[in-house]
Amino acid sequence: MASYYNDNTIIYLNGGFVKATEAKMDLYSQSLHYGYSVFEGIRSYKTETGETKIFKAVEHFNRLQQSAAAMNMPYQWTTEELIEATYEVLKRNNLQDAYIRPVVYAPANMSFVKNTESFIVIEAWEMQPFLGDKLLRVMTSSFQRPNPKGFKIEAKAGGHYVNSILASQEAKAKGFDEALLSDMNDFVAEGPGANMFYEKDGRLFTPSLGNILPGITRATVLEICEELEISVEEKLITSNELKEADTAFFCGTAAEVIGWESLDETVFPKTWNNSVSKTIQEAYKNIVAEKIITPAEQIFA
Ligand code: PMP
């Protein structure tokens, strides 16, 4: 297992900064027993100027608040104060390229009634930017994404991730790198922790919102497409359509933009380095690092 903290690690806990090894949480929490919590996955990057910058911090903390609202969890923090606390966590742990994990959790409560308070922890650990040169062997999962009529699927809630864990473990047990889950109507949905796009004839396609987590990276990819005038369409995607694709990729805060080699042993025909998807991957890397592209570089990119 990865090592997320050591004896010196500092976390933000309910308004203060404490050592991770000394922090306490209530083992009678409704979050532990029922998966009733909300969280975020955020990244900070060492930018071109050497500064540490949290990528789309406002969007992530706003989503945390919206996730809490969707779950009826009290939420007493502002996005501004949590961003400030996060920068402080990064500073106190000497982190620049990091993964940041805020979790909003519930008090002791074995019933299903609403709580009058919530708690928050912000943890961070080192994570180097991913170079994205390895392509993934993806497997169509036997698990579907949760039915949106049974879950608030647009919320990043702890309990939803049992579905992700099952799907990811199944794919790895079968020798694949990652799973691809369909929605309850068997349309292509997303990975266990990332959205997906496929490329066909120089155009990109991605599942419409409704059965997927509305990813912040997905939104960034759509912005890149607009900026670079790459044609992109949000639509319902069948698995047969996807098997005819030139190439495909996952995108998410942790995954960044990572290409696929194959889906269920069908290898995608397009060489990653010649794809429009690769252009998106490069653009994403530059955006998170706030790299200024000179016009000359742009031509040859
Ligand atoms: N789908 C799921 C199920 C996820 O867990 C994530 C990661 N948060 C994503 C998509 C991608 O979202 P984002 O780009 O906001 O990280």
Side-chain angles (χ1 to χ4, degrees):
M1 285 288 142
S3 160
Y4 300 102
Y5 65 96
N6 59 36
D7 288 347
N8 302 317
T9 303
I10 302 290
I11 60 173
Y12 174 82
L13 185 66
N14 302 314
F17 296 91
V18 292
K19 276 195 168 182
T21 50
E22 288 167 10
K24 287 197 170 62
M25 180 196 161
D26 197 329
L27 291 178
Y28 293 72
S29 164
Q30 211 181 18
S31 304
L32 179 65
H33 291 251
Y34 305 127
Y36 183 67
S37 63
V38 294
F39 69 100
E40 265 306 316
I42 314 175
R43 290 214 20 196
S44 64
Y45 291 89
K46 180 178 176 184
T47 61
E48 277 284 281
T49 58
E51 252 185 307
T52 308
K53 192 79 184 282
I54 302 171
F55 185 62
K56 296 211 167 175
V58 170
E59 287 84 342
H60 280 283
F61 281 104
N62 284 349
R63 186 170 67 183
L64 185 67
Q65 184 162 13
Q66 286 155 12
S67 295
M71 294 290 135
N72 309 317
M73 296 178 93
Y75 192 94
Q76 63 267 33
W77 308 279
T78 65
T79 287
E80 293 70 34
E81 76 180 279
L82 294 181
I83 292 175
E84 200 182 310
T86 305
Y87 273 110
E88 187 63 26
V89 168
L90 293 174
K91 201 167 128 199
R92 289 190 188 216
N93 292 291
N94 255 319
L95 291 168
Q96 290 205 287
D97 288 305
Y99 186 82
I100 299 153
R101 169 56 58 80
V103 188
V104 174
Y105 60 97
N109 180 3
M110 295 304 153
S111 80
F112 301 150
V113 298
K114 208 167 150 174
N115 298 298
T116 52
E117 59 179 343
S118 297
F119 304 107
I120 191 164
V121 60
I122 303 175
E123 301 159 353
W125 53 89
E126 191 174 351
M127 199 171 193
Q128 288 304 325
F130 182 72
L131 296 174
D133 42 9
K134 185 184 170 285
L135 298 178
L136 299 180
R137 296 178 57 249
V138 177
M139 183 194 108
T140 303
S141 185
S142 70
F143 295 97
Q144 292 184 333
R145 288 296 287 160
N147 177 346
K149 289 183 179 164
F151 279 93
K152 300 268 184 83
I153 53 120
E154 73 287 357
K156 218 169 147 54
H160 296 178
Y161 282 80
V162 176
N163 170 258
S164 298
I165 290 171
L166 290 174
S168 202
Q169 287 182 356
E170 178 193 48
K172 280 166 190 148
K174 295 201 165 150
F176 291 88
D177 297 311
E178 197 47 284
L180 173 69
L181 293 87
S182 56
D183 67 21
M184 61 173 191
N185 298 315
D186 264 336
F187 289 107
V188 172
E190 59 187 332
N195 295 116
M196 67 81 60
F197 285 74
Y198 79 82
E199 176 177 335
K200 180 77 182 172
D201 299 330
R203 302 185 67 207
L204 293 183
F205 300 87
T206 194
S208 340
L209 298 182
N211 292 299
I212 57 170
L213 186 86
I216 290 167
T217 318
R218 177 183 179 277
T220 308
V221 169
L222 294 175
E223 284 160 22
I224 293 170
C225 288
E226 187 166 352
E227 176 83 9
L228 300 183
E229 294 179 6
I230 293 166
S231 160
V232 60
E233 190 182 335
E234 301 174 63
K235 67 193 233 3
L236 292 176
I237 295 169
T238 63
S239 54
N240 282 341
E241 257 177 285
L242 181 55
K243 290 213 162 133
E244 296 293 309
D246 294 334
T247 190
F249 61 87
F250 277 131
C251 67
T253 298
E256 302 185 316
V257 174
I258 179 163
W260 297 5
E261 177 186 291
S262 56
L263 176 64
D264 303 333
E265 313 284 7
T266 306
V267 175
F268 290 102
K270 187 124 197 149
T271 309
W272 179 255
N273 282 341
N274 297 335
S275 66
V276 170
S277 303
K278 161 85 175 177
T279 309
I280 302 276
Q281 183 182 51
E282 288 299 313
Y284 186 79
K285 267 195 255 179
N286 291 334
I287 289 171
V288 296
E290 297 190 346
K291 193 170 169 201
I292 313 292
I293 308 289
T294 64
E297 276 176 317
Q298 223 159 20
I299 291 165
F300 297 108

